[in-house]
Amino acid sequence: MKIGRVTIDARLALAPMAGVTDLAFRTICRELGAGYTVTEMVSAKALCYQDKKSLPLLRLGEGEHPAAIQLFGSDPACMEQAAGLAAEYAGADIVDINMGCPVPKVAQHGDGSGLMRTPELAVRVAEAVIRGAGGRPVTVKCRLGWDKGSINCVAFAQAMEAAGVSAIAVHGRTKTQMYSGRANWDYIRAVKEAVRIPVIANGDVFSPQDALRILAYTGADMVMIGRGCFGNPWLFQQCAAALAGKEIPPLPPLAERVETAVRQFRLAAEQKGEHIACLEARKHYAWYLKGVPYAGYYKEQISHISTLEDIARITAGIQRDLT
């Protein structure tokens, strides 16, 4: 499909998730079939104030194209400036606006999904980012609405299209649902039927069969995978096979999976330093062991990781005792 002038030769996207989809994890997912990736969300205000901690979040990998940077904020002037700064720094193909984050510290301040309560402001934000993006296509990621009594995703998507947005990704939950309950794909289908721009479907894709179903049911142009790939980047490989009508490859043996995990953590250490990478590896490594019998002892060890040496020791134990 095409997002503006950018061609994406795949129907599988990795959802932007704060604290999860850093460059290291995106690299692994790209290698395994994610055809489109988006950075973690970055605060527009932080960029406008030249916060040095935010710039690394915008870094794209070598060959990580097509890819987008994601910004969040609700001040049009700041968002316009940040879009220019971020696009120039990262060399991204697309600029995405977060209008779906449900986290209270973001949404309660009118950012993220808070913008769905103020559609007129959301339009001004979109128009500002389009001005600042230097000709790059601008996309939006949103939810169904604030709560079940104020679901407005169809009208919201139409307003974004009218503002000049090139594509919209819809997570099939409201803000108040957070990640509970089931994603409602009916509303994603309604959005697809109401706009001419590409629609990306997001929510409850945990298997190759889910990917096939959400695309068939909603008519969406692309499927965006979020929590389903936590500790399981091979889900992209499996979904790609399903979409191509090929035999779905099995999950690799545990020994191979933990080697991939270690590679991810080493890449993260190169990019953000050993200390931060190891702290973040605690949750990622636990995800890689989800569903593995008798892994409780090693999950406890993982919760105390502080060095790459710890990771190597734990991995050797896993490969000795659990494979």
Side-chain angles (χ1 to χ4, degrees), residues 26-224:
R26 297 198 314 271
T27 298
I28 300 297
C29 291
R30 295 285 302 216
E31 292 174 356
L32 290 168
Y36 177 57
T37 45
V38 188
T39 67
E40 300 172 78
M41 66 178 186
V42 180
S43 165
K45 284 187 177 179
L47 291 178
C48 290
Y49 287 114
Q50 300 181 334
D51 175 40
K52 293 182 180 179
K53 293 182 180 179
S54 296
L55 285 175
L57 296 175
L58 297 169
R59 181 184 169 198
L60 299 179
E62 185 177 346
E64 189 184 359
H65 296 282
I69 52 170
Q70 189 186 69
L71 301 175
F72 78 93
S74 54
D75 177 82
C78 184
M79 288 290 280
E80 180 175 352
Q81 180 184 351
L85 291 170
E88 183 178 349
Y89 176 85
D93 306 285
I94 294 167
V95 178
D96 185 64
I97 310 170
N98 186 317
M99 296 190 182
C101 179
V103 176
K105 68 179 181 179
V106 174
Q108 298 289 3
H109 288 90
D111 302 332
S113 57
L115 280 166
M116 297 198 74
R117 303 177 89 178
T118 56
E120 291 181 359
L121 174 58
V123 166
R124 296 205 305 275
V125 167
E127 291 172 340
V129 173
I130 290 168
R131 289 194 299 271
R136 294 172 177 83
V138 172
T139 60
V140 164
K141 187 169 190 290
C142 69
R143 289 201 162 216
L144 302 185
W146 184 263
D147 56 32
K148 65 180 181 181
S150 57
I151 291 176
N152 63 340
C153 56
V154 172
F156 193 84
Q158 290 173 323
M160 292 299 104
E161 180 180 35
V165 165
S166 296
I168 188 160
V170 184
H171 182 138
R173 288 182 173 83
T174 64
K175 181 272 176 196
T176 56
Q177 275 185 277
M178 298 291 287
Y179 299 96
S180 65
R182 295 186 63 180
N184 190 320
W185 296 352
D186 290 330
Y187 286 107
I188 302 176
R189 180 169 61 182
V191 168
K192 176 59 184 173
E193 292 171 350
V195 299
R196 295 183 299 275
I197 57 176
V199 173
I200 303 170
N202 176 222
D204 289 356
V205 177
F206 297 100
S207 71
Q209 293 74 26
D210 290 337
L212 292 175
R213 282 196 296 266
I214 196 171
L215 288 171
Y217 188 82
T218 65
D221 303 275
M222 179 178 283
V223 57
M224 181 170 273

Side-chain angles (χ1 to χ4, degrees), residues 261-281 285 304-316:
V262 170
R263 180 164 166 259
Q264 178 188 328
F265 307 146
R266 291 192 180 280
L267 283 171
E270 291 172 7
Q271 293 153 9
K272 62 183 69 175
E274 182 175 5
H275 178 66
I276 297 298
C278 287
L279 291 178
E280 294 180 351
Y285 212 157
H304 301 291
I305 285 173
S306 59
T307 66
L308 290 173
E309 190 174 310
D310 291 339
I311 291 174
R313 173 179 50 79
I314 291 168
T315 303

Side-chain angles (χ1 to χ4, degrees), residues 275-323:
H275 178 66
I276 297 298
C278 287
L279 291 178
E280 294 180 351
R282 295 175 181 180
K283 63 185 176 187
H284 280 274
Y285 212 157
W287 288 333
Y288 274 97
L289 294 185
K290 184 179 180 181
V292 175
Y294 314 112
Y297 169 79
Y298 286 106
K299 287 182 180 178
E300 171 61 23
Q301 296 290 306
I302 285 167
S303 69
H304 301 291
I305 285 173
S306 59
T307 66
L308 290 173
E309 190 174 310
D310 291 339
I311 291 174
R313 173 179 50 79
I314 291 168
T315 303
I318 291 170
Q319 292 181 320
R320 180 187 65 240
D321 298 336
L322 301 182
T323 61

Side-chain angles (χ1 to χ4, degrees), residues 237-258:
Q237 186 180 62
Q238 294 177 323
C239 289
L243 291 173
K246 298 179 180 178
E247 183 177 353
I248 297 172
L251 201 62
L254 179 60
E256 182 179 331
R257 301 203 303 272
V258 296

